[in-house]
Amino acid sequence: MLNYTIRRLLEAIPIWIAITLIVFILMNIIPGDPVAQLMDARSGALDENVIKQIREQWGLNDPLPLQYLHFLQGVVQGDFGTSYQSRSSVTELLMERIPVTLQITVLGLIIAIVIGITVGTIGALKRGTWIDSLVSSFSVSGVSLPSFFLGLILMYLFAVKIRLLPATGYVAGDIRYLLLPSLTLALAVSGVISRITRSAMIDILRMDYMTTAISKGISSGRIIILHALKNAMPPILTIIGVQMGLLLSGAVITETIFGLPGVGRLMIDAILQRDLPIVQGCVVFVATVFLLVNLLTDIGCRLIDPRIKVES
């Protein structure tokens, strides 16, 4: 197990470095000069001497390979640079916004897992019936509906019509402000989880040992939970790990719709202002979390099913 974990970790390192390189390249091939834009926005005029001094101070005149090495060195040390606009530390800005994003992401994932596994299991047990058709329709709808459209529908129903939950904003410690954005993220992800759960459960229910367990008089609940669902978990855990990354990316739109001060909202504002250090920091943060979640997912699958081997 230790060798498996080390192998997966070593495989993740070059992927992470490649992500930082791609992000850095994309940020530097975008047309326009962020320093000139900043000076123009603040003073309404371009002072070439001041622009040159600022570019020199920020290291923007260095060759791109050297700039990337400085960026990578800073990221490894937890320093994502300094915001062009506010001159604040990007790391500090991220630390302020990460709790909000993690709250809606984790809550959304919990809701998605509960709904997805429950609905998928019901669909497998009722295969071929109208209930199974309803489950399939739910799965397709969840995958097909854009998050911004789904968020607006939920906002209209629960905030405007029923007036049960606040539409926008955020108050620390008040879970009501997290429910709508979390549910928006969860419904899309739960559709994917329910499809994988249904497929995996159908395969498991066909196995001979399931027939043996039923013939022994074991209760249906124990058969489903201890035998069928447990053996169906590896593919379910894998898709949950992938969907965690999609939840983080979906939070960009969701936080904007619901006015949440999270990492997604920070990145959108930085893109509009062309504040490249913040954009780089947000993207690298999301990518790092995605890699860590997938690493933990692989380890979890190996713990559940030791037969899983590392490909040579």
Side-chain angles (χ1 to χ4, degrees):
M1 185 63 197
L2 180 60
N3 292 334
Y4 181 86
T5 303
I6 295 175
R7 175 70 178 272
R8 297 297 295 151
L9 182 60
L10 292 177
E11 290 174 351
I13 292 176
I15 296 175
W16 181 82
I17 294 177
I19 290 173
T20 62
L21 178 60
I22 293 173
V23 170
F24 178 82
I25 293 175
L26 290 176
M27 292 300 101
N28 281 274
I29 64 176
I30 297 176
D33 187 345
V35 180
Q37 182 180 359
L38 175 62
M39 295 299 299
D40 188 36
R42 290 186 175 181
S43 63
L46 296 178
D47 188 329
E48 294 295 337
N49 293 328
V50 175
I51 290 176
K52 290 180 181 179
Q53 292 177 3
I54 295 177
R55 290 183 62 84
E56 187 69 29
Q57 180 182 353
W58 292 354
L60 297 178
N61 290 329
D62 295 335
L64 285 180
L66 184 59
Q67 290 186 42
Y68 171 71
L69 290 178
H70 289 160
F71 168 69
L72 184 62
Q73 181 182 6
V75 171
V76 171
Q77 297 174 352
D79 181 9
F80 290 95
T82 303
S83 167
Y84 288 162
Q85 296 290 334
S86 64
R87 303 303 299 152
S88 301
S89 169
V90 175
T91 303
E92 293 179 358
L93 293 175
L94 280 173
M95 295 303 294
E96 293 174 358
R97 304 295 187 100
I98 285 174
V100 178
T101 299
L102 289 184
Q103 286 177 47
I104 65 169
T105 301
V106 172
L107 182 57
L109 184 63
I110 293 173
I111 297 174
I113 291 174
V114 173
I115 295 176
I117 293 180
T118 302
V119 171
T121 302
I122 293 174
L125 296 175
K126 302 295 183 180
R127 184 187 179 195
T129 66
W130 65 270
I131 296 178
D132 187 23
S133 300
L134 189 62
V135 168
S136 299
S137 299
F138 167 78
S139 301
V140 173
S141 299
V143 174
S144 304
L145 287 176
S147 59
F148 69 88
F149 180 69
L150 187 58
L152 293 175
I153 292 177
L154 293 177
M155 188 185 299
Y156 175 76
L157 290 176
F158 291 97
V160 178
K161 297 296 291 184
I162 305 178
R163 297 184 179 180
L164 182 63
L165 296 171
T168 59
Y170 174 76
V171 175
D174 193 339
I175 195 173
R176 295 181 305 153
Y177 289 89
L178 304 176
L179 289 178
L180 281 183
S182 297
L183 188 59
T184 300
L185 295 173
L187 288 179
V189 173
S190 61
V192 179
I193 296 177
S194 66
R195 292 183 64 182
I196 299 299
T197 301
R198 177 184 177 276
S199 177
M201 287 291 288
I202 288 176
D203 292 339
I204 295 297
L205 292 173
R206 291 173 177 170
M207 298 295 181
D208 292 337
Y209 67 84
M210 293 300 299
T211 304
T212 302
I214 295 173
S215 65
K216 290 182 177 180
I218 301 176
S219 63
S220 299
R222 287 176 58 86
I223 292 176
I224 294 172
I225 297 175
L226 298 181
H227 295 277
L229 194 56
K230 178 182 178 181
N231 289 283
M233 282 309 294
I236 297 174
L237 279 180
T238 300
I239 198 63
I240 289 174
V242 173
Q243 294 305 307
M244 180 65 178
L246 295 179
L247 281 173
L248 286 170
S249 61
V252 174
I253 299 176
T254 304
E255 289 176 0
T256 304
I257 294 174
F258 291 98
L260 297 176
V263 174
R265 179 72 177 276
L266 176 66
M267 183 163 61
I268 290 293
D269 293 340
I271 291 174
L272 295 176
Q273 298 175 353
R274 208 174 183 277
D275 201 334
L276 302 186
I278 294 182
V279 178
Q280 290 178 157
C282 291
V283 175
V284 171
F285 164 74
V286 172
T288 302
V289 173
F290 183 79
L291 286 175
L292 289 176
V293 169
N294 277 271
L295 176 62
L296 294 176
T297 301
D298 291 341
I299 295 174
C301 291
R302 181 66 186 273
L303 289 174
I304 294 175
D305 189 355
R307 294 172 297 177
I308 297 177
K309 304 295 182 181
V310 181
E311 295 183 2
S312 58

